[in-house]
Amino acid sequence: MERLGGRVTQHAQDPGITHALQEGAPGTDTKLLLQQRPGVTAVTPAWLETCLLQGRRVCEARFLPNFHEGNHSSNAEAARHGQMPEMKAEARGTRYRRTWLGPALWRAECADMTLNEFMLQGVYNTARCRGIGNEAIVQALRELAGYEGGIQDDYFTEHGELVINHRIVRYAKAATAVQGCSYKLEGRVRPGQLPFVGPATAEQISDIIRTGTCDALVKFRANLVVKDSRGTPRPDTIGGATRAAFHALPGVGQRTAKHWWDLGLRSYEDLDAAVAEGGLLSQGRKGALSVAQHFSLKHRADLLQGTSAEDVAEAVSRVLESLTRSSGVDGWTVEVVGGEARGGAAHDTDLLVTHKTRGVDHAVQGLLDDLVASGYLFSPSEAMCLVQEGLMPSHLERMRKDLELEDSAAPGVQSLDRFDHIYGVRRTAAGKVRRLDIILAPSEEFAMALVGWTGSRTYLRLLRQHAKDVGMYLNSHRLLRKIDGKARLVPDEAPPIVKGGREAWPVGWHAGRRILRQEDVFELLGVPYREPADRNCP
């Protein structure tokens, strides 16, 4: 950010303020700032993320918060509408936080936390949410996020600019807020009642509570054009449900799904007919399916079915056998990560691999060859099989450089993953076809990789944003900070930073101690540890 001429302040009286980041309904401080400083523009966090992603200031018009339903002539005017006395607003915000988190988790200091840190005090457990009675709302919001993901990727090009898909983020954060809520949501949800939930999303949640659905969900399911939060039709959403279904097939991207929709295909059965001899997408025709896409279409019943505990146990055993056989040594560790580690439903199996005394460099190709030769993994000539290898030797240098140039704040770099890996398809002993991802991490980065690969995606976004809020940088490899403009590894080369910009070791930490457990990562970030099942937000 400094490289772009910007900086972050939490002091409302700072004369250099040009933008106020606002997620959801405006708080008292934001209202007063916009009233007193008409030159300040309120924008959503997606604006800052997009600026950092592109390395320049982008137009604010697409990132203005929707303070209230309808349009207002300025941010200051929006803040003035419906304002209340300062103490009353502040008290209401604290009450909302305390009620959302629940008495068992609430502490007095929660009232003054940043929103990201506050959200990390919560518990995101599917069984807990179901018991409270909010799971149906979570599933509806997940479905909306899924439709948005079928239209555009997490990052996409718009008007020649690379931007973040803020609609996926908005629905995912709203689903997270509902999943972490300590009480059953009933009646009308007010803006600000739930973290990250502004007026438009609050109205959608209220509709879901009342009717089980909302206008956007109805239109997505019917493949109709969806309107944005200001009531403007979004032509790009046509065919949302069908395109999302096509995109669910391994090897099928959003553009391909849209192309099939434009060809008039409306179902998997239509696609079957199109790839048959003489069909629109038959071999030799323009746009014919790739090997991976043909395979996914043929085996869609298996690939779209959830995995079983037996499937996962078999995958762990087969990968361990292949690692030992291909490397000539035993002592390998294979951990189940991803949705299955969090206790959620999953269509694939994610395995994280390491070895305490042997490096994992150059192990991936031997593992791949053995798995294919044994008949467990389909080869690249048969199905989707993507391999990444050889990026690890330069990964620390890359991360240090990104941080020193401030590029590390961009979300695409925060999700940096240079581990050797195999993303493929396997056949179980029962004859089922299942997705399998294998990630190889060196032992010194295994605990950090466990956090990153266990997820969930939204939970990681909260962790990484919190790290950025206090002045550090987190991804699935390392935790870093800057000292005198130079990147330093935490805790290897420097203590972590705590709130207020101070450096301080957590209780029990000291120079020389290393990250060995997932709990260590949470301690260095200054947030409570949560078991994987309690990180299962969307």
Side-chain angles (χ1 to χ4, degrees), residues 495-513:
I497 300 176
V498 297
K499 284 192 296 186
R502 297 182 299 108
E503 64 174 37
W505 289 112
V507 175
W509 281 83
H510 52 78
R513 181 173 167 180

Side-chain angles (χ1 to χ4, degrees), residues 20-22 26-35 42 67 79:
L21 297 185
Q22 179 63 48
T28 301
D29 290 343
T30 302
K31 287 181 179 181
L32 290 174
L33 176 64
L34 295 175
Q35 283 180 294
F67 284 97

